[in-house]
Amino acid sequence: MHGLESLLLNVLFIIIFLLFIPLLLEINSKMLFNPTKKNWIINFSASLGIILCILFPFSIIDGYIFDLRWVAVTIGGLYGGVTTIILLTGLTIAFRYFLGGVGVGATVLIGIVLMFILIAIRKMFRKSSKQKKLLVGTTVSLLAGVWALFVSIIIFDISFNAFFVFLYLILTFMTTLLVIYIYEAFQESQLINQRVIKAEKMEIVSHLASSMSHEVRNPLAVVRGFLQLMQVTTVSEKKQREYLSLSIEEIDRATDIIQNYLTFAKPSPENAVRINIEQELKRAINIITPLANINRIHIGTKLESCFILGDPQLLQQCLLNITKNCIEAMPNGGELFIETYKGNGELMIVISDEGEGMTKEQLSRLGEPYYTTKGREGTGLGMMAAMQIIEMMSGKLSVTSRVNEGTNFYIRFPTIEKQA
């Protein structure tokens, strides 16, 4: 039973240092480590697993021990390169030599043979399917185990009982099979997730391109029509000015659509500065007031001075997109109320309207690039861009709405101290 306990402890070391730690690195390596650092950490982890296996062996006779070190060398070598194979083999031999005993010679013979085998098959192993990797890995690991037993019996005249031989080989086989299977299953899962994410991104890009193409084509067609009309017919100067004014409006509309699309695609703000939110809100209100007056909408405010970090131009675009949506949601007039308050290191901006409101289904789809409640007049790009800007500025947006009662937009930003 002492031999079983020692070998099971070796299995635990291999699972922790050659499976669990590499999986953690695979999950977090993009955020924390570059590939070179990751490889060195994996090599160090495998080395630690080998050392612990040697330190907790099953002693056959004084100075001659057995453990699952060759399973660790096999797995680490198959997934590493030539450098890793040489490193792990050299470490195994060096550490076993440091401990001393008659088993040092056996370690040298087994290690050198296994090293050349691993170097010879490493490329084939990496290109193989999961099933073939399981077959190759377990076969090499078993061959290393059998070779270790053979060297012990033939060269060093060590005797083993049948139970130990069976236990040693079955644990060698099962441990190698388990580690390779779980690692490969994880890699397959990661690959599938990456493909799903890529497919989702491509679908969004496709919808964006389709929506933008459709919406940009409309104003360009209007402009082209007016220009053709002015070219082939004689129109009065008054009509020419009217046509030109309408053409400019349509070009501005196309520009807004493209700008919203570019805002969504932009990864981060380029001009992050201290922003006085009271000043920016007043500026946005001044811009939106003519549109509000035309639609018989009163704008009420309750603002206080507070500073956040971000891009003023992007913030203006975000505020204008949201307030414009609120105004368009009140075709029969009403009140647009903007309020700010701060607390617990956060600024809250509340933008409320008395408009048509949204259903739960419409609210859940708010911000989708190809979804709008405005029918043919909207693209969904404006709200999508506003949500993207808020996220880029480390903010959070939540929305509540009731049909025929209105909509409330709650925007949270982390505050900063006023510049001295």
PDB file of all heavy atoms in Angstrom, residues 330-360:
ATOM      1  N   MET A 330     -41.043  61.922 -28.791  1.00  0.00           N
ATOM      2  CA  MET A 330     -42.166  62.757 -28.343  1.00  0.00           C
ATOM      3  C   MET A 330     -42.685  63.597 -29.510  1.00  0.00           C
ATOM      4  O   MET A 330     -42.505  64.827 -29.548  1.00  0.00           O
ATOM      5  CB  MET A 330     -41.713  63.659 -27.189  1.00  0.00           C
ATOM      6  CG  MET A 330     -41.309  62.906 -25.935  1.00  0.00           C
ATOM      7  SD  MET A 330     -40.875  63.985 -24.544  1.00  0.00           S
ATOM      8  CE  MET A 330     -39.215  64.523 -25.025  1.00  0.00           C
ATOM      9  N   PRO A 331     -43.329  63.000 -30.507  1.00  0.00           N
ATOM     10  CA  PRO A 331     -43.797  63.750 -31.679  1.00  0.00           C
ATOM     11  C   PRO A 331     -44.881  64.769 -31.355  1.00  0.00           C
ATOM     12  O   PRO A 331     -45.095  65.724 -32.114  1.00  0.00           O
ATOM     13  CB  PRO A 331     -44.326  62.647 -32.609  1.00  0.00           C
ATOM     14  CG  PRO A 331     -44.666  61.518 -31.696  1.00  0.00           C
ATOM     15  CD  PRO A 331     -43.666  61.569 -30.595  1.00  0.00           C
ATOM     16  N   ASN A 332     -45.569  64.568 -30.242  1.00  0.00           N
ATOM     17  CA  ASN A 332     -46.648  65.485 -29.857  1.00  0.00           C
ATOM     18  C   ASN A 332     -46.239  66.440 -28.736  1.00  0.00           C
ATOM     19  O   ASN A 332     -47.085  67.003 -28.042  1.00  0.00           O
ATOM     20  CB  ASN A 332     -47.881  64.687 -29.419  1.00  0.00           C
ATOM     21  CG  ASN A 332     -48.404  63.790 -30.520  1.00  0.00           C
ATOM     22  OD1 ASN A 332     -48.469  64.211 -31.682  1.00  0.00           O
ATOM     23  ND2 ASN A 332     -48.761  62.561 -30.185  1.00  0.00           N
ATOM     24  N   GLY A 333     -44.945  66.590 -28.507  1.00  0.00           N
ATOM     25  CA  GLY A 333     -44.456  67.488 -27.477  1.00  0.00           C
ATOM     26  C   GLY A 333     -44.300  66.795 -26.136  1.00  0.00           C
ATOM     27  O   GLY A 333     -44.677  65.627 -25.957  1.00  0.00           O
ATOM     28  N   GLY A 334     -43.740  67.512 -25.170  1.00  0.00           N
ATOM     29  CA  GLY A 334     -43.532  66.941 -23.847  1.00  0.00           C
ATOM     30  C   GLY A 334     -42.340  67.601 -23.169  1.00  0.00           C
ATOM     31  O   GLY A 334     -41.929  68.709 -23.536  1.00  0.00           O
ATOM     32  N   GLU A 335     -41.789  66.908 -22.193  1.00  0.00           N
ATOM     33  CA  GLU A 335     -40.652  67.459 -21.458  1.00  0.00           C
ATOM     34  C   GLU A 335     -39.477  66.493 -21.504  1.00  0.00           C
ATOM     35  O   GLU A 335     -39.630  65.282 -21.295  1.00  0.00           O
ATOM     36  CB  GLU A 335     -41.014  67.736 -19.998  1.00  0.00           C
ATOM     37  CG  GLU A 335     -39.851  68.370 -19.224  1.00  0.00           C
ATOM     38  CD  GLU A 335     -40.169  68.660 -17.778  1.00  0.00           C
ATOM     39  OE1 GLU A 335     -40.996  67.924 -17.203  1.00  0.00           O
ATOM     40  OE2 GLU A 335     -39.590  69.615 -17.227  1.00  0.00           O
ATOM     41  N   LEU A 336     -38.317  67.042 -21.770  1.00  0.00           N
ATOM     42  CA  LEU A 336     -37.054  66.308 -21.680  1.00  0.00           C
ATOM     43  C   LEU A 336     -36.328  66.833 -20.451  1.00  0.00           C
ATOM     44  O   LEU A 336     -36.031  68.025 -20.365  1.00  0.00           O
ATOM     45  CB  LEU A 336     -36.210  66.534 -22.935  1.00  0.00           C
ATOM     46  CG  LEU A 336     -34.782  65.963 -22.925  1.00  0.00           C
ATOM     47  CD1 LEU A 336     -34.813  64.447 -22.874  1.00  0.00           C
ATOM     48  CD2 LEU A 336     -34.011  66.444 -24.150  1.00  0.00           C
ATOM     49  N   PHE A 337     -36.081  65.964 -19.483  1.00  0.00           N
ATOM     50  CA  PHE A 337     -35.474  66.402 -18.222  1.00  0.00           C
ATOM     51  C   PHE A 337     -34.109  65.739 -18.061  1.00  0.00           C
ATOM     52  O   PHE A 337     -33.975  64.515 -18.207  1.00  0.00           O
ATOM     53  CB  PHE A 337     -36.368  66.043 -17.035  1.00  0.00           C
ATOM     54  CG  PHE A 337     -35.948  66.717 -15.758  1.00  0.00           C
ATOM     55  CD1 PHE A 337     -36.253  68.047 -15.540  1.00  0.00           C
ATOM     56  CD2 PHE A 337     -35.221  66.032 -14.788  1.00  0.00           C
ATOM     57  CE1 PHE A 337     -35.869  68.690 -14.374  1.00  0.00           C
ATOM     58  CE2 PHE A 337     -34.827  66.659 -13.625  1.00  0.00           C
ATOM     59  CZ  PHE A 337     -35.151  68.000 -13.414  1.00  0.00           C
ATOM     60  N   ILE A 338     -33.098  66.574 -17.758  1.00  0.00           N
ATOM     61  CA  ILE A 338     -31.727  66.083 -17.587  1.00  0.00           C
ATOM     62  C   ILE A 338     -31.263  66.453 -16.186  1.00  0.00           C
ATOM     63  O   ILE A 338     -31.301  67.630 -15.801  1.00  0.00           O
ATOM     64  CB  ILE A 338     -30.779  66.692 -18.640  1.00  0.00           C
ATOM     65  CG1 ILE A 338     -31.284  66.385 -20.053  1.00  0.00           C
ATOM     66  CG2 ILE A 338     -29.363  66.163 -18.450  1.00  0.00           C
ATOM     67  CD1 ILE A 338     -30.489  67.059 -21.153  1.00  0.00           C
ATOM     68  N   GLU A 339     -30.821  65.453 -15.445  1.00  0.00           N
ATOM     69  CA  GLU A 339     -30.427  65.654 -14.055  1.00  0.00           C
ATOM     70  C   GLU A 339     -29.102  64.958 -13.786  1.00  0.00           C
ATOM     71  O   GLU A 339     -28.818  63.897 -14.361  1.00  0.00           O
ATOM     72  CB  GLU A 339     -31.504  65.085 -13.128  1.00  0.00           C
ATOM     73  CG  GLU A 339     -31.200  65.224 -11.642  1.00  0.00           C
ATOM     74  CD  GLU A 339     -32.283  64.600 -10.779  1.00  0.00           C
ATOM     75  OE1 GLU A 339     -33.182  63.936 -11.345  1.00  0.00           O
ATOM     76  OE2 GLU A 339     -32.211  64.762  -9.546  1.00  0.00           O
ATOM     77  N   THR A 340     -28.280  65.556 -12.937  1.00  0.00           N
ATOM     78  CA  THR A 340     -27.028  64.907 -12.524  1.00  0.00           C
ATOM     79  C   THR A 340     -26.912  64.940 -11.004  1.00  0.00           C
ATOM     80  O   THR A 340     -27.384  65.884 -10.361  1.00  0.00           O
ATOM     81  CB  THR A 340     -25.793  65.629 -13.120  1.00  0.00           C
ATOM     82  OG1 THR A 340     -25.710  66.946 -12.587  1.00  0.00           O
ATOM     83  CG2 THR A 340     -25.860  65.676 -14.626  1.00  0.00           C
ATOM     84  N   TYR A 341     -26.319  63.897 -10.472  1.00  0.00           N
ATOM     85  CA  TYR A 341     -25.951  63.897  -9.051  1.00  0.00           C
ATOM     86  C   TYR A 341     -24.805  62.914  -8.869  1.00  0.00           C
ATOM     87  O   TYR A 341     -24.593  62.017  -9.684  1.00  0.00           O
ATOM     88  CB  TYR A 341     -27.139  63.567  -8.141  1.00  0.00           C
ATOM     89  CG  TYR A 341     -27.872  62.290  -8.464  1.00  0.00           C
ATOM     90  CD1 TYR A 341     -27.510  61.077  -7.900  1.00  0.00           C
ATOM     91  CD2 TYR A 341     -28.967  62.319  -9.336  1.00  0.00           C
ATOM     92  CE1 TYR A 341     -28.196  59.918  -8.184  1.00  0.00           C
ATOM     93  CE2 TYR A 341     -29.661  61.162  -9.629  1.00  0.00           C
ATOM     94  CZ  TYR A 341     -29.278  59.962  -9.045  1.00  0.00           C
ATOM     95  OH  TYR A 341     -29.952  58.810  -9.334  1.00  0.00           O
ATOM     96  N   LYS A 342     -24.052  63.111  -7.802  1.00  0.00           N
ATOM     97  CA  LYS A 342     -22.864  62.299  -7.588  1.00  0.00           C
ATOM     98  C   LYS A 342     -22.857  61.721  -6.183  1.00  0.00           C
ATOM     99  O   LYS A 342     -23.474  62.248  -5.261  1.00  0.00           O
ATOM    100  CB  LYS A 342     -21.602  63.140  -7.816  1.00  0.00           C
ATOM    101  CG  LYS A 342     -21.515  64.406  -6.977  1.00  0.00           C
ATOM    102  CD  LYS A 342     -20.299  65.236  -7.353  1.00  0.00           C
ATOM    103  CE  LYS A 342     -20.282  66.552  -6.553  1.00  0.00           C
ATOM    104  NZ  LYS A 342     -19.126  67.388  -6.885  1.00  0.00           N
ATOM    105  N   GLY A 343     -22.107  60.607  -6.045  1.00  0.00           N
ATOM    106  CA  GLY A 343     -21.978  59.940  -4.762  1.00  0.00           C
ATOM    107  C   GLY A 343     -21.216  58.648  -4.905  1.00  0.00           C
ATOM    108  O   GLY A 343     -21.259  57.988  -5.959  1.00  0.00           O
ATOM    109  N   ASN A 344     -20.476  58.272  -3.866  1.00  0.00           N
ATOM    110  CA  ASN A 344     -19.694  57.025  -3.855  1.00  0.00           C
ATOM    111  C   ASN A 344     -18.717  56.945  -5.020  1.00  0.00           C
ATOM    112  O   ASN A 344     -18.510  55.878  -5.617  1.00  0.00           O
ATOM    113  CB  ASN A 344     -20.622  55.802  -3.878  1.00  0.00           C
ATOM    114  CG  ASN A 344     -21.541  55.753  -2.665  1.00  0.00           C
ATOM    115  OD1 ASN A 344     -21.130  56.087  -1.554  1.00  0.00           O
ATOM    116  ND2 ASN A 344     -22.789  55.340  -2.882  1.00  0.00           N
ATOM    117  N   GLY A 345     -18.123  58.118  -5.370  1.00  0.00           N
ATOM    118  CA  GLY A 345     -17.122  58.128  -6.432  1.00  0.00           C
ATOM    119  C   GLY A 345     -17.685  57.994  -7.820  1.00  0.00           C
ATOM    120  O   GLY A 345     -16.944  57.711  -8.771  1.00  0.00           O
ATOM    121  N   GLU A 346     -18.998  58.185  -7.983  1.00  0.00           N
ATOM    122  CA  GLU A 346     -19.637  58.048  -9.291  1.00  0.00           C
ATOM    123  C   GLU A 346     -20.490  59.273  -9.604  1.00  0.00           C
ATOM    124  O   GLU A 346     -21.024  59.935  -8.709  1.00  0.00           O
ATOM    125  CB  GLU A 346     -20.524  56.805  -9.342  1.00  0.00           C
ATOM    126  CG  GLU A 346     -19.789  55.507  -9.563  1.00  0.00           C
ATOM    127  CD  GLU A 346     -20.740  54.366  -9.856  1.00  0.00           C
ATOM    128  OE1 GLU A 346     -21.911  54.441  -9.422  1.00  0.00           O
ATOM    129  OE2 GLU A 346     -20.317  53.402 -10.509  1.00  0.00           O
ATOM    130  N   LEU A 347     -20.606  59.548 -10.896  1.00  0.00           N
ATOM    131  CA  LEU A 347     -21.526  60.556 -11.394  1.00  0.00           C
ATOM    132  C   LEU A 347     -22.689  59.850 -12.067  1.00  0.00           C
ATOM    133  O   LEU A 347     -22.487  58.924 -12.859  1.00  0.00           O
ATOM    134  CB  LEU A 347     -20.830  61.468 -12.395  1.00  0.00           C
ATOM    135  CG  LEU A 347     -21.764  62.304 -13.280  1.00  0.00           C
ATOM    136  CD1 LEU A 347     -22.392  63.440 -12.472  1.00  0.00           C
ATOM    137  CD2 LEU A 347     -21.025  62.846 -14.497  1.00  0.00           C
ATOM    138  N   MET A 348     -23.901  60.272 -11.763  1.00  0.00           N
ATOM    139  CA  MET A 348     -25.083  59.726 -12.420  1.00  0.00           C
ATOM    140  C   MET A 348     -25.729  60.814 -13.274  1.00  0.00           C
ATOM    141  O   MET A 348     -26.019  61.919 -12.787  1.00  0.00           O
ATOM    142  CB  MET A 348     -26.084  59.223 -11.388  1.00  0.00           C
ATOM    143  CG  MET A 348     -27.435  58.829 -11.978  1.00  0.00           C
ATOM    144  SD  MET A 348     -27.399  57.232 -12.817  1.00  0.00           S
ATOM    145  CE  MET A 348     -27.604  56.164 -11.386  1.00  0.00           C
ATOM    146  N   ILE A 349     -25.918  60.525 -14.549  1.00  0.00           N
ATOM    147  CA  ILE A 349     -26.655  61.406 -15.461  1.00  0.00           C
ATOM    148  C   ILE A 349     -27.973  60.709 -15.786  1.00  0.00           C
ATOM    149  O   ILE A 349     -27.965  59.565 -16.267  1.00  0.00           O
ATOM    150  CB  ILE A 349     -25.875  61.678 -16.754  1.00  0.00           C
ATOM    151  CG1 ILE A 349     -24.489  62.245 -16.456  1.00  0.00           C
ATOM    152  CG2 ILE A 349     -26.658  62.614 -17.668  1.00  0.00           C
ATOM    153  CD1 ILE A 349     -23.602  62.376 -17.690  1.00  0.00           C
ATOM    154  N   VAL A 350     -29.074  61.383 -15.509  1.00  0.00           N
ATOM    155  CA  VAL A 350     -30.394  60.828 -15.805  1.00  0.00           C
ATOM    156  C   VAL A 350     -31.041  61.673 -16.891  1.00  0.00           C
ATOM    157  O   VAL A 350     -31.216  62.885 -16.721  1.00  0.00           O
ATOM    158  CB  VAL A 350     -31.291  60.794 -14.556  1.00  0.00           C
ATOM    159  CG1 VAL A 350     -32.617  60.111 -14.888  1.00  0.00           C
ATOM    160  CG2 VAL A 350     -30.599  60.069 -13.409  1.00  0.00           C
ATOM    161  N   ILE A 351     -31.372  61.044 -18.018  1.00  0.00           N
ATOM    162  CA  ILE A 351     -32.047  61.713 -19.129  1.00  0.00           C
ATOM    163  C   ILE A 351     -33.412  61.055 -19.300  1.00  0.00           C
ATOM    164  O   ILE A 351     -33.492  59.857 -19.607  1.00  0.00           O
ATOM    165  CB  ILE A 351     -31.221  61.616 -20.426  1.00  0.00           C
ATOM    166  CG1 ILE A 351     -29.817  62.207 -20.207  1.00  0.00           C
ATOM    167  CG2 ILE A 351     -31.934  62.324 -21.577  1.00  0.00           C
ATOM    168  CD1 ILE A 351     -28.895  62.049 -21.401  1.00  0.00           C
ATOM    169  N   SER A 352     -34.458  61.833 -19.087  1.00  0.00           N
ATOM    170  CA  SER A 352     -35.813  61.280 -19.093  1.00  0.00           C
ATOM    171  C   SER A 352     -36.679  61.982 -20.134  1.00  0.00           C
ATOM    172  O   SER A 352     -36.571  63.202 -20.335  1.00  0.00           O
ATOM    173  CB  SER A 352     -36.469  61.435 -17.714  1.00  0.00           C
ATOM    174  OG  SER A 352     -35.664  60.876 -16.701  1.00  0.00           O
ATOM    175  N   ASP A 353     -37.550  61.225 -20.789  1.00  0.00           N
ATOM    176  CA  ASP A 353     -38.519  61.820 -21.715  1.00  0.00           C
ATOM    177  C   ASP A 353     -39.919  61.325 -21.374  1.00  0.00           C
ATOM    178  O   ASP A 353     -40.100  60.412 -20.566  1.00  0.00           O
ATOM    179  CB  ASP A 353     -38.159  61.493 -23.171  1.00  0.00           C
ATOM    180  CG  ASP A 353     -38.285  60.012 -23.516  1.00  0.00           C
ATOM    181  OD1 ASP A 353     -39.337  59.426 -23.236  1.00  0.00           O
ATOM    182  OD2 ASP A 353     -37.314  59.444 -24.068  1.00  0.00           O
ATOM    183  N   GLU A 354     -40.911  61.950 -21.983  1.00  0.00           N
ATOM    184  CA  GLU A 354     -42.316  61.572 -21.795  1.00  0.00           C
ATOM    185  C   GLU A 354     -42.873  61.003 -23.088  1.00  0.00           C
ATOM    186  O   GLU A 354     -44.024  61.236 -23.442  1.00  0.00           O
ATOM    187  CB  GLU A 354     -43.121  62.796 -21.353  1.00  0.00           C
ATOM    188  CG  GLU A 354     -42.672  63.378 -20.013  1.00  0.00           C
ATOM    189  CD  GLU A 354     -43.423  64.656 -19.658  1.00  0.00           C
ATOM    190  OE1 GLU A 354     -44.045  65.251 -20.575  1.00  0.00           O
ATOM    191  OE2 GLU A 354     -43.391  65.051 -18.487  1.00  0.00           O
ATOM    192  N   GLY A 355     -42.022  60.269 -23.791  1.00  0.00           N
ATOM    193  CA  GLY A 355     -42.374  59.810 -25.122  1.00  0.00           C
ATOM    194  C   GLY A 355     -43.180  58.529 -25.164  1.00  0.00           C
ATOM    195  O   GLY A 355     -43.826  58.124 -24.189  1.00  0.00           O
ATOM    196  N   GLU A 356     -43.074  57.861 -26.307  1.00  0.00           N
ATOM    197  CA  GLU A 356     -43.872  56.670 -26.570  1.00  0.00           C
ATOM    198  C   GLU A 356     -43.422  55.457 -25.770  1.00  0.00           C
ATOM    199  O   GLU A 356     -44.170  54.504 -25.593  1.00  0.00           O
ATOM    200  CB  GLU A 356     -43.827  56.353 -28.071  1.00  0.00           C
ATOM    201  CG  GLU A 356     -44.380  57.486 -28.940  1.00  0.00           C
ATOM    202  CD  GLU A 356     -44.120  57.265 -30.409  1.00  0.00           C
ATOM    203  OE1 GLU A 356     -43.239  56.419 -30.722  1.00  0.00           O
ATOM    204  OE2 GLU A 356     -44.764  57.917 -31.235  1.00  0.00           O
ATOM    205  N   GLY A 357     -42.186  55.486 -25.283  1.00  0.00           N
ATOM    206  CA  GLY A 357     -41.693  54.367 -24.504  1.00  0.00           C
ATOM    207  C   GLY A 357     -41.397  53.142 -25.356  1.00  0.00           C
ATOM    208  O   GLY A 357     -41.589  53.134 -26.579  1.00  0.00           O
ATOM    209  N   MET A 358     -40.955  52.084 -24.698  1.00  0.00           N
ATOM    210  CA  MET A 358     -40.600  50.845 -25.397  1.00  0.00           C
ATOM    211  C   MET A 358     -41.139  49.644 -24.634  1.00  0.00           C
ATOM    212  O   MET A 358     -41.265  49.670 -23.399  1.00  0.00           O
ATOM    213  CB  MET A 358     -39.072  50.718 -25.527  1.00  0.00           C
ATOM    214  CG  MET A 358     -38.434  51.731 -26.465  1.00  0.00           C
ATOM    215  SD  MET A 358     -36.623  51.557 -26.527  1.00  0.00           S
ATOM    216  CE  MET A 358     -36.182  52.366 -24.981  1.00  0.00           C
ATOM    217  N   THR A 359     -41.417  48.589 -25.372  1.00  0.00           N
ATOM    218  CA  THR A 359     -41.810  47.325 -24.757  1.00  0.00           C
ATOM    219  C   THR A 359     -40.566  46.630 -24.210  1.00  0.00           C
ATOM    220  O   THR A 359     -39.431  47.036 -24.498  1.00  0.00           O
ATOM    221  CB  THR A 359     -42.507  46.420 -25.772  1.00  0.00           C
ATOM    222  OG1 THR A 359     -41.547  46.068 -26.797  1.00  0.00           O
ATOM    223  CG2 THR A 359     -43.698  47.117 -26.413  1.00  0.00           C
ATOM    224  N   LYS A 360     -40.759  45.560 -23.442  1.00  0.00           N
ATOM    225  CA  LYS A 360     -39.616  44.807 -22.909  1.00  0.00           C
ATOM    226  C   LYS A 360     -38.779  44.227 -24.033  1.00  0.00           C
ATOM    227  O   LYS A 360     -37.548  44.186 -23.954  1.00  0.00           O
ATOM    228  CB  LYS A 360     -40.112  43.695 -21.984  1.00  0.00           C
ATOM    229  CG  LYS A 360     -40.674  44.197 -20.666  1.00  0.00           C
ATOM    230  CD  LYS A 360     -41.076  43.035 -19.768  1.00  0.00           C
ATOM    231  CE  LYS A 360     -41.594  43.541 -18.424  1.00  0.00           C
ATOM    232  NZ  LYS A 360     -42.002  42.425 -17.534  1.00  0.00           N
TER     233      LYS A 360
END
